[in-house]
Amino acid sequence: MSASSENKDKAIIFDVGGVIASDSYNVLIADLFQNKIDNEKYKNLMKSGNHSWSNYKYGSITEDEFWNNIVSENEFLLELNKELIISKDYSLENKQDWINFFKQYIRNKTLYLFTDTLKLIEELQKQHSNIMIGILSNHSKEWANYIFNELDNGHVKQVFHSTPSDLIIWSCDVNLAKPEPKIYELLISRIKNHLPNLKTENICFIDDKDRNLEIAKECGIYCIEYNASKNRNINKLKEDLEIFLMM
């Protein structure tokens, strides 16, 4: 990416799910159950996930409790012909078996990184010494830790090694979540602790969901919508960032 016309301080904040890493639960359910169970049961699995996620993203329940809620609200899983869904190698005879299976499957099969996004972040860091990079993501404690510290040998942690720790913001740690205005106000406040003279319009937030960006815009933040899992058009993201950097 080319250098900006002025050496202005800027901040670029990335969402994680859909931008840096895959969205985990929906991918897991689609991978395991789509076109393999009747539509009503499939919809209920998705609904159960959304319901439990509303607590899990705040850190108010553990991962075991999250999956326990899913299995408890979908008892048909205990009677399911497992051979239609997964390998015969797994023993799925009770609720705890399913909980353990889901925890293992999400880490081994459905959580992965978008390396193009991470390469772009590394380019930004090398080419723009005046830019502060950070994370703002709705995530649970266990999955955030896995994505940041463990997935692909801690690749995300390596990329964000120079980011101040208070600009790695997970909803589960601050008891706030997008699109609540207060989480954007917190983000702005933390950035300005490092860059006191930075104007809010010089903060860019990249997210895959329009509903999250709408409120961020109302808070004065410059926004870019980007969904790595759908379009994978990293060049378009680069072009959008060039516009921001030239402002």
Side-chain angles (χ1 to χ4, degrees), residues 187-202:
L187 171 67
I188 294 167
S189 174
R190 289 190 177 186
I191 291 172
K192 291 189 176 184
N193 284 338
H194 297 276
L195 300 170
N197 297 321
L198 186 72
K199 294 181 179 179
T200 304
E201 66 198 41
N202 287 324

Side-chain angles (χ1 to χ4, degrees), residues 11 23 32 39 48 60 72 78 94 112 126 128 177 193 207-208 215 231 234 243:
D23 272 324
L32 285 173
N39 195 45
S48 295
S60 57
S72 296
L78 301 176
N94 55 53
Y112 54 88
K126 289 176 182 177
H128 302 276
N193 284 338
D207 196 285
D208 64 318
I215 305 302
N231 50 49
I234 197 69
I243 294 171

Side-chain angles (χ1 to χ4, degrees), residues 23-27 29 42-58 61 66-67 69-70 73-74 143 209 211:
D23 272 324
S24 42
Y25 181 80
N26 289 352
V27 174
I29 297 302
Y42 184 81
K43 285 181 179 179
N44 197 57
L45 275 170
M46 287 295 192
K47 183 179 178 181
S48 295
N50 290 333
H51 180 257
S52 270
W53 180 248
S54 65
N55 293 313
Y56 194 31
K57 67 185 177 184
Y58 288 104
I61 61 173
F66 172 82
W67 289 119
N69 292 343
I70 304 302
E73 292 175 12
N74 296 275
W143 296 349
K209 296 178 177 64
R211 65 178 180 271

Side-chain angles (χ1 to χ4, degrees), residues 86-180:
I86 57 174
S87 167
K88 299 177 184 178
D89 298 334
Y90 290 94
S91 173
L92 296 172
E93 302 303 324
N94 55 53
K95 185 183 293 186
Q96 191 60 51
D97 286 344
W98 274 101
I99 291 170
N100 293 338
F101 167 70
F102 281 139
K103 289 171 65 177
Q104 181 180 356
Y105 195 93
I106 206 164
R107 287 163 173 77
N108 294 341
K109 300 288 187 179
T110 64
L111 275 174
Y112 54 88
L113 300 178
F114 297 117
T115 55
D116 283 348
T117 305
L118 292 171
K119 286 178 183 176
L120 172 59
I121 295 169
E122 290 176 314
E123 289 177 16
L124 288 166
Q125 292 168 328
K126 289 176 182 177
Q127 297 177 15
H128 302 276
S129 60
N130 58 313
I131 291 177
M132 186 164 284
I133 305 290
I135 284 174
L136 178 66
S137 179
N138 289 351
H139 242 303
S140 66
K141 290 183 182 297
E142 294 90 345
W143 296 349
N145 178 68
Y146 179 74
I147 292 168
F148 193 80
N149 293 303
E150 300 179 38
L151 187 57
D152 288 0
N153 297 311
H155 190 182
V156 177
K157 184 176 182 178
Q158 293 166 27
V159 170
F160 286 88
H161 72 279
S162 61
T163 297
S165 60
D166 63 337
L167 294 186
I168 307 293
I169 302 174
W170 307 102
S171 60
C172 58
D173 290 335
V174 298
N175 198 32
L176 296 168
K178 301 173 296 182
E180 298 165 17

